[in-house]
Structures are given as C-alpha cells and as structure tokens.
Amino acid sequence: MNYIYIIKCRDESYYTGITKNIEKRLKQHFYKEKQGAKYTKSRQAVQLEALWEVNSWPEAGRLEYFIKSLRRKEKEKLVNNPSCLPELYAEKKKEEPPEIRVSEYFEKLPLFLQTIS
C-alpha cells in the first residue's frame, strides 16, 4: 500500500510525505532518525494529522505534490476533514482524482505514533 500523510510540527507547520511503510516512516520523523526528513528534524514532528491510501506509487507522488502546493487554510481543511481530498483535488486540478481512501490504519496506529509530546 502507498500512503500520503500530513504531520503537524511543534511550530504548527505541516509536513506532507509519502511512504510504503507508514510505521517505519513515522518513527523516522518523530524520533529524528537519520533517514527522517530534514524538515521534521528541525521542527520536531508532534502529531499525525491525516493519512490516505492510494493504489500506485505515481498516484501517491502526484497527491503529495498536490497537497504540498496547497495554502495553509486548504491543508487545515484536509486535516479537519480528510475525506474531502478527492473533491478538493477535482476542484483545483479540473480532473478526476485518483482512487483515494482515508486510511483506516490511522485509527490502528499505536498512540505513540499518532502524538508525540
């Protein structure tokens, strides 16, 4: 499975990323591991805000790029209502969105991966 996610950082900024292994990737972000993103190392990842699944890696890359290009208010809208991503994509891109699912896995993630204080 391919995942797209949004993490909130200590400075209230958002980081968007993609991965095939969500637990491993979140540990890298939250615990500032060597393979973690420079952005989350310097700003300290504190909470997983949204998590989506898509079938293919190219679709995941397009969605990550799309989310990263959004304004903060639009990202906040996604964080507050992750299921609106397909609608927002279609509205902005004027094309049919790829098959996007809000990941049920989000609720199953260990709590320590959802929020780090």
Side-chain angles (χ1 to χ4, degrees):
M1 190 54 57
N2 303 286
Y3 298 95
I4 304 102
Y5 56 91
I6 297 177
I7 293 174
K8 184 181 247 181
C9 295
R10 191 168 302 282
D11 67 356
E12 300 293 315
S13 64
Y14 291 116
Y15 174 83
T16 303
I18 61 173
T19 187
K20 289 180 181 285
N21 185 335
I22 191 66
E23 285 191 33
K24 179 180 176 183
R25 191 67 179 137
L26 291 177
K27 285 178 186 177
Q28 291 169 346
H29 286 304
F30 287 142
Y31 297 110
K32 297 183 183 180
E33 292 182 4
K34 187 176 183 179
Q35 302 86 355
K38 191 185 242 184
Y39 188 92
T40 56
K41 282 182 191 173
S42 65
R43 290 174 173 79
Q44 180 59 51
V46 293
Q47 186 167 334
L48 177 63
E49 294 285 345
L51 181 64
W52 298 273
E53 298 174 5
V54 294
N55 293 329
S56 78
W57 188 253
E59 288 174 344
R62 281 194 300 279
L63 285 167
E64 177 197 32
Y65 182 79
F66 171 74
I67 293 169
K68 284 182 174 188
S69 71
L70 296 175
R71 294 172 187 245
R72 180 167 178 90
K73 280 191 174 208
E74 293 165 326
K75 290 178 186 178
E76 288 172 349
K77 181 180 177 180
L78 285 179
V79 164
N80 291 325
N81 183 11
S83 63
C84 77
L85 179 55
E87 177 187 321
L88 184 60
Y89 184 92
E91 175 187 316
K92 290 262 192 201
K93 301 288 273 180
K94 307 288 189 237
E95 63 184 55
E96 198 64 30
E99 185 181 330
I100 309 164
R101 296 172 300 286
V102 174
S103 180
E104 294 176 11
Y105 191 62
F106 180 77
E107 298 300 324
K108 297 175 185 172
L109 281 173
L111 186 58
F112 77 93
L113 287 178
Q114 290 184 30
T115 306
I116 303 293
S117 300

